Amino acid sequence: MRHDLDCVPGASVIRFQFERLRRDVPEIKSWADALLRVVGDFRIVVSSNVVYSETEYCVVEFGYHLHRWLVCQSPPLPDFAYNSMESDDNPVVWFERVGADWRLGAFGQDSVSERIPNADLKAAARAFLTELDARTRTEVDLQLLPVLVDVGRSL
């Protein structure tokens, strides 16, 4: 199942997309399993251009860090750097503030994205987290909220 906003008037200039959500282990037994063993084919699209894509991407771990950046920081939001426990090449994805906007980059990319309005980046992050929450419940039988809020670091 893929969800695109290409045809929606006023759609965000940026989208975090994932397909083929799955566990790469038979059972999620721990908080770390929830972060690292739920994977999907992931991509970041800015103005119809794919600026980052990865198969077997730790979408819950990315969601965890994105949620902490979006919800747990005081305005204005600081720069974001997603360092994955599964990667030696970090930061995997980053956003840096440029005036009132943002630029996005990723490890191994030669260029950064065009400027992304603050409201668009926040809307895309919220949309990603909402979709991730719904799909982890239905597709991999995982309640996302305890993972996002570190509930006892156990499931």
Side-chain angles (χ1 to χ4, degrees):
M1 176 187 295
R2 191 170 133 206
H3 303 275
D4 284 324
L5 298 175
D6 288 334
C7 299
V8 178
S12 178
V13 70
I14 179 172
R15 292 179 312 283
F16 302 104
Q17 301 173 327
F18 60 98
E19 299 173 334
R20 296 183 350 107
L21 186 67
R22 61 209 175 273
R23 294 183 303 228
D24 66 2
V25 293
E27 184 179 357
I28 301 295
K29 296 180 181 180
S30 67
W31 181 79
D33 281 353
L35 285 182
L36 303 174
R37 306 281 51 107
V38 177
V39 298
D41 298 342
F42 179 78
R43 66 186 187 164
I44 301 172
V45 179
V46 177
S47 296
S48 302
N49 297 312
V50 176
V51 296
Y52 179 77
S53 80
E54 185 73 42
T55 59
E56 298 285 320
Y57 191 79
C58 299
V59 291
V60 172
E61 184 191 31
F62 176 72
Y64 171 79
H65 289 284
L66 190 63
H67 172 265
R68 293 184 65 80
W69 172 77
L70 186 64
V71 174
C72 300
Q73 302 292 330
S74 300
L77 289 172
D79 292 351
F80 171 82
Y82 165 50
N83 295 301
S84 175
M85 292 184 281
E86 287 286 289
S87 179
D88 293 329
D89 302 323
N90 284 304
V92 177
V93 173
W94 52 265
F95 320 141
E96 72 178 359
R97 189 170 291 275
V98 180
D101 298 329
W102 297 89
R103 290 216 178 173
L104 179 145
F107 185 86
Q109 302 295 318
D110 292 331
S111 61
V112 296
S113 72
E114 65 185 64
R115 292 180 105 161
I116 302 164
N118 185 53
D120 283 359
L121 180 59
K122 289 164 103 177
R126 287 185 185 105
F128 171 80
L129 291 166
T130 299
E131 182 179 0
L132 185 64
D133 177 51
R135 292 183 57 195
T136 54
R137 274 186 272 128
T138 60
E139 295 175 35
V140 296
D141 193 29
L142 175 68
Q143 296 294 322
L144 190 58
L145 185 59
V147 176
L148 295 181
V149 296
D150 288 341
V151 175
R153 291 205 177 226
S154 63
L155 297 175

